[in-house]
Structure formats: structure tokens, C-alpha cells
Amino acid sequence: MTQFLRIWHPFTNAALDPAPIRVERAEGVWLYIKDGGKIIDAISSWWVNLHGHANPRIAGAIAEQARKMEHAIFAGFSHEPAEKLAEGLRKWLPPQLTQLFFSDDGSTAVEVALKISVQHFSNLGKPNKKEIVALEHGYHGDTAGAMSVSDDSPFTEPFRSMRYAVHRVPSPYLYRRPAGTTEEEYVEHCVRALANLLEEKSKTIACLILEPLVQGAGGMIVYPAEYLRKTRELCAKHDVLLIADEVMTGFGRTGKMFACDLAGVAPDLMCLSKGITGGFLPMGVTLCTDRVEVAFRSENRMHTFYHGHSYTANALACGAANASLQIFEDEPVFDRIAAIARVNEERLREFQKYSVVGETRQIGTVGAIELRAEDAGYLSAMRPKLYQFFLERGVLLRPLGNVVYVMPPYVISADELHRVYDVITEAVETVF
Ligand SMILES: Cc1ncc(COP(=O)(O)O)c(C=O)c1O
């Protein structure tokens, strides 16, 4: 009998889910599969791709870097692609963020932000200031710490014992606000809940982590900038570090380079990943202010941040990220983003007439439709049905339970994006 090593796919149940589709090649927004079929990647391959698959500029930059130097240890050493990336990012970031720490992906960028926050206060002689605040419906990754700050979900259920306790505050999920409450009142309620917690417990709280303006995996929950601004003020007032997890929202998704820019907010720490390399190679980055980092510059060796990954600041990933930033400089990327936002806005308006549609939400390139469901949530029976329906029509969309969303690479044409919405319309009209 032939023995083979079976590949175990993420977020996939081999007993229930269809067999994976083999992608032969990819270009622009298209995934080309066996026997000449092709699928529009309307979710940027888990929110990573910005400038199109197999983008020749990024592919070329990686090849060029690989011939020069693929990787070198980053403890005690540095290299030009990493330094160039720090310089390139600096231009786009709030000026307060002056320190950059590399890691491997979104989850590790979050782990680093949480650990820096806790050790910052420990180094300052405040070891009790170590607790963490996070939002309901938040998602920050699948490693143990990132899973702890993420809200309870089917993803975290088996790991209760591994997750550390956090203070959980309500998120301004306006669609789910109590009946009879206005949007403004609900935002105020959420702000007050945070204010009360910080007033009572700030001596033991190190940081608050949130996804700025959009809670992604929680259901593309778009919330008012006002909440983010008030959160910024409260954290500053109570000496609690604000961590903006821009892993999903970063690099143009919301219409500005970073969601924090839209709200005019500068966090104390920021996490980046996904789009940073244009979707070519994994990389995480955690940024922080001088004020946060200075606590680690010390005569005391125990104040060192003892954290690092083998592939920290991988030169090929840095090369890809530099090429992606160069595309932002040279090509009309923000015009492409604005064009996607216009189609999103126009097409989402049409969905409000369907009784199965609870709410539509939009911010920049992200468009979402929350469907009414008895079993609302990630495990909604709608999810596999819709996923299959879309695929059969040549569109890759992975609904978050009863929430269908679009987040395409920025090179999608208006016709291609209309095609995606046509298929969603067909689903809404025929599946339910
Ligand atoms: C806001 C946010 N943070 C962190 C992560 C984790 O990123 P990764 O999957 O690269 O570990 C994600 C992934 O979807 C995310 O959306």
C-alpha cells in the first residue's frame, strides 16, 4: 500500500468540508485551477494580496534579493532591505511611532505588542500593571496570547484552559445594539464601560488592544471613529497603552494607509502584517513609541526584550515589502482603492431591499452584508452553503458565518467587482 503524507488544511474539517481546490497559477485577481477553470479571488487570499497575484514588480524584487542575500540572523546583525523598509514605512506612520520590531505574521505581531506592553511596565518597576483589556467580537490571531485577547468563539472553545484572563469590554457593534437605543447612545455606553473599568483598575492594567474601525473576523463590524478617539483619550488619561491591531486594516483597506489615519488617532503600539509584503511572504511588524521602548534601554540586562523568531526580518520578505511600498509611490493605488469603494457603496445600497439582509456595512475596499439568521455566528449553516454557491460561479468568498464580505486585491476591475456582486445578488435572491 502506498504511504503518503496527507496535508492538513487550516480551518478545514476533512470529514465535512469539500476537498481543497488545486491552484495551478494565479495572476491579478484570478486563481487558475485544473482543467482551465478560473476563480476571482474576492477576499485577497485571506486579506493579504494588495497589488494582484504574481505581481511582476514584487516577484522581481524577491528574485533579485534572493540572489544577493536570502536571510541572515537579525540579533547582532542588520541589513539594507530591513533598514529600507523601516525608512519606507516611517513616511506613512503616525510620527509618534518610532520603533519597529519584526516578527513572522499577524499573530506574532500581536504577541510582541502584548509582551512589550507588559514588560514596559515591569521594567519601570510596576510589575502589577500587567492586565490586558480587549473588545467583544475582537479577533487577533490563533497563537495562545492572540487567542486570549480574541473574543470567545468556536475557534477558542477547546482552549479555555490555555487562554489567560483579560478584561472584556463591549464593542460598538451598532447593528446588535439593544432596541430603543440610538447609535450615539450605544457608542457612549461602550465608552462608559471602558471608562469605568479604567477608572477602577488602571493600576493593574497595562494595555488595551483593538482592531481600529473594523472588527474583521468578528463579522466585518465597522464602527464609528468616535469610539476609537474616545478610547485613545481614556488610555492616555489612565496610563494604559493603546495597541492598534492593523493586521487586517493596514495598507489601504479602509481607504487610508491605516485605519488610525481615518480617525486621526496615534496609538502607542501598532501591529502590521498581511498586506505588508503585498501578499507574497509572511511578515509581522510591531511598532511603538520612544516612550514605550525607552524602558528597555537600561543598564539592567533583565530589561532586555528577550523575544525573537528564526526568520525575523527575513530579507526576501523585506524585499517584497519594499517593492509593495514602491508600488504605492509609483502607481495610482489610492485611485484604485477609491474606485473599489465607489462600487462597494453603489452595490451594497441595492441589498437593503431584501428581507434576508439585516445590515450592509462598508469602509473603503471592505463591503459586508450581514444576513438575518436564526443561527447567526461563524457556525451558521449559511456559511458552507454560500461558500459552495459562490465557488460554483467562479468567485472565492468565505462568509464569516452569516456575514458575506468582499475585500478584493486593489487591481480588481470594475467589471470583475460587479461580477462578484452579481453572484452575491443571485445568492441572496435564490438561496433563501
Ligand atoms: C486583526 C487581526 N489580527 C491578527 C490576525 C492574525 O494574523 P495571522 O493569521 O497572520 O497570524 C488576523 C488574521 O486574520 C487579524 O485579522
Side-chain angles (χ1 to χ4, degrees), residues 60-80:
I62 295 170
E64 194 182 320
Q65 182 58 47
R67 279 189 289 270
K68 226 186 278 171
M69 191 262 289
E70 79 304 337
H71 182 69
I73 183 172
F74 210 62
F77 290 85
S78 185
H79 50 68
E80 194 254 1

Side-chain angles (χ1 to χ4, degrees), residues 11 103-115 132 138-151 153 155-157 159-164 166 168 209 245 247 271 286 307 309:
F11 283 81
S103 58
D104 291 349
D105 49 40
S107 300
T108 50
V110 165
E111 300 283 358
V112 166
L114 297 169
K115 287 177 70 175
I132 296 167
Y139 175 78
H140 300 284
D142 294 341
T143 53
M147 207 170 49
S148 302
V149 290
S150 300
D151 201 358
S153 76
F155 310 165
T156 65
E157 184 55 29
F159 310 109
R160 279 176 188 218
S161 62
M162 288 172 63
R163 294 169 73 210
Y164 52 72
V166 302
R168 187 79 54 197
I209 183 163
D245 176 355
V247 167
C271 307
T286 304
H307 184 111
H309 302 277

